[in-house]
Amino acid sequence: MVDSQDMVKKVFTQKSARIDTNKGEEYYNCLFENAKQRISMLQKQPALKDIDMIDVIESEGINRRDFMKWVSATTATLMLPPMFEPLVAQATELMNRVPVVWIELQDCAGNSEALLRSSAPTVDDLLFDVLSLEFHETLQAAAGHDADRQLEEAVEHFKGKYLLFVEGAIPMANDGKYGTIGASGETFHEHLMRMSKDAAAVVAVGTCATFGGIPAAAPNPTGAVGVMDLVKGKPVVNIPACPANPANMVGVILHFVLTGQIPELDSLLRPKFAFGYRIHDNCERRAHFDAGEFVEEWGDIGAQNNWCLYKVGCKGPMTFNNCSIIRYNEGTNWPVGVGRGCIGCSEPDFWDKYAYERPMANANIKAPTGGVEKTVDEFGLGLLTATTIGIGLHAVASAIAGKKSEQNEEE
């Protein structure tokens, strides 16, 4: 029998960044040629939306130099070598060639809010002005039967070509009657299956759409599930988090425009370029974890000096996301940066398993470096709580599942 404490230790000491960031010269040369052909094909197609990307960014005071800096950063984010930068720039200007249909189901519209909440738009934000967004009931002017007609026309006209973005969980209890849409009373489940049938790919945005999110929290009275539990036989991309970061949405669309394919995914169908990193490994407070310096309670000297939040419940060591790198609100900050621990919102069942700030001081963890000023043995040993064991087992299981998935992909 595997000792549970050893399993938890592995969570904190494993090399979580298992992404193959260098696939070799032959792979990139082949991808480069395919991307060139893809862009050439898109350039011959008429724009679906008569808006020029360069005009948009210049109207917002972003010059060409700033745009190219964004292109360089985005290319690196997508884990592509610098040779792809000119192609990424061209793909950005061709975003209006790919139709997007956005539907909203059982949720709070937080992901749409994340798109709109911008006082000084970044290039990421501006891309949504250029995007050929054929339907988004929260953002569009049409309502009622006019909106229904607009959706039907978009799906019919762009059959097999559009990306279907789904925001919100799908209630399945009571034959799906907890969520209906339109005058016909179509259930969210029926609506999702009909809209996804002719999509090129389905992108689930936010934790509700990916893993059920808060609607699926115990006791889950509506029987909420995520998109991947229902849509089969079609590419599905999960972009979890509450809300999902707009930069990751742009990354998925840009990758599709550039290559005509969805990006490489992990075992939970999350893009590896965004979710291949453990928050803990890139956290600005990581040095304090290694040094054994922790916030013990809110307002203490540790909190005043921005020490590690693990002992007051931060779930960064169990959570995979790039928000510690790209951050929120125009890149200015993120939860840990403002003194609030990660709640693991990009992991399955996060509300039941992670979203609390329960002290975890009894975790028997040894710091990866053995500690700088002192070891973690000095900050608390004892019995592991059942919850902590559960979290550790879940995280280890996820890591093992990811490893198996990678092995299968290699085979």
Side-chain angles (χ1 to χ4, degrees), residues 327-377:
R327 305 186 173 204
Y328 283 87
N329 297 331
E330 300 152 31
T332 55
N333 219 326
W334 65 300
V336 173
V338 297
R340 196 223 188 279
C342 168
I343 61 172
C345 68
S346 59
E347 296 297 319
D349 303 324
F350 93 95
W351 192 257
D352 292 332
K353 292 183 178 178
Y354 299 122
Y356 59 86
E357 296 187 11
R358 203 170 301 159
M360 300 171 69
N362 289 332
N364 182 13
I365 308 301
K366 183 174 179 58
T369 62
V372 179
E373 288 85 3
K374 54 186 177 183
T375 69
V376 289
D377 291 339

Side-chain angles (χ1 to χ4, degrees), residues 109-129:
N111 300 284
S112 293
E113 282 283 333
L115 292 178
L116 298 172
R117 193 181 298 271
S118 180
S119 57
T122 64
V123 176
D124 289 334
D125 300 321
L126 295 175
L127 280 173
F128 283 95
D129 291 336

